[in-house]
Amino acid sequence: TFWNINMSDEQLMSLAGKIGSDCPFFVRNKPSIVTGRGEHIENIDFTLSSPILVVCPSLHISTPEAYQKLGFSENKSLLSSRCVVSDIASYHNDFEKVIFAIHPVLQGIKTALLNSGAYYSAMSGSGSSIFGLFENKRALTDAQRNIPFPSFIVNQFTE
């Protein structure tokens, strides 16, 4: 491991879970379906060649409050359906409906990404970051230039 910690992935994941519900995912940092409170991680075969523009507005969204707005509790299953990895049209984020109603600027960022050429855009988790997938470097850099919030590019183009 990077820090030469003498712990197995399982031990690191257990420790990470004590830090936060979404932290165990980052021990292996692979595409996964994550359920429960973040402790059930199923790796999936998924490769994305498109670069991603992630926009990070300075809004704090409380994850427990976001779940409460959806009407979920710890005793109610959150996974009602799965997206088909190869069919981007099946991807959705249930948090968007409730969070966009409270913070319409996030809907505006998503719309701006789509209008700038993103072929897909969504909120990440319970927010507030919004990402867009692009096939075209010019569209991505134009979008980044025109959105007045901090952002970064993941999977840079290798032209």
Side-chain angles (χ1 to χ4, degrees), residues 3 19 26 30 35 42 46 64 70 75 78 90 157:
W3 295 99
I19 296 169
F26 294 100
K30 295 181 179 183
T35 56
E42 176 189 345
F46 179 73
L70 279 178
N75 299 325
L78 298 177
S90 73
F157 283 96

Side-chain angles (χ1 to χ4, degrees), residues 9-157:
D9 280 359
E10 288 71 26
Q11 290 170 316
L12 285 171
M13 290 170 68
S14 176
L15 180 61
K18 294 175 183 171
I19 296 169
S21 293
D22 57 352
C23 293
F25 167 80
F26 294 100
V27 170
R28 291 193 180 122
N29 197 22
K30 295 181 179 183
S32 305
I33 302 290
V34 181
T35 56
R37 294 182 48 89
E39 74 278 11
H40 302 291
I41 301 172
E42 176 189 345
N43 291 342
I44 59 173
D45 183 26
F46 179 73
T47 306
L48 182 66
S49 60
S50 298
I52 305 166
L53 179 63
V54 181
V55 180
C56 306
S58 57
L59 289 171
H60 171 73
I61 296 173
S62 163
T63 300
E65 287 178 26
Y67 275 96
Q68 185 180 37
K69 297 242 182 261
L70 279 178
F72 288 112
S73 69
E74 289 185 31
N75 299 325
K76 187 174 177 183
S77 173
L78 298 177
L79 188 62
S80 59
S81 65
R82 283 185 141 170
C83 63
V84 178
V85 174
S86 62
D87 178 18
I88 200 152
S90 73
Y91 295 8
H92 64 278
N93 183 340
D94 292 336
F95 285 115
E96 287 184 2
K97 183 177 180 180
V98 296
I99 299 302
F100 287 179
I102 299 166
H103 301 286
V105 67
L106 299 177
Q107 173 68 63
I109 294 170
K110 178 177 179 173
T111 300
L113 288 170
L114 292 168
N115 289 343
S116 296
Y119 65 87
Y120 180 78
S121 181
M123 184 170 67
S124 179
S126 59
S128 67
S129 295
I130 307 288
F131 66 92
L133 306 180
F134 291 82
E135 292 177 3
N136 175 303
K137 181 178 182 179
R138 183 175 181 176
L140 182 142
T141 55
D142 286 349
Q144 187 175 33
R145 193 175 314 114
N146 293 323
I147 293 177
F149 296 101
S151 62
F152 61 95
I153 300 170
V154 181
N155 287 347
Q156 298 256 6
F157 283 96

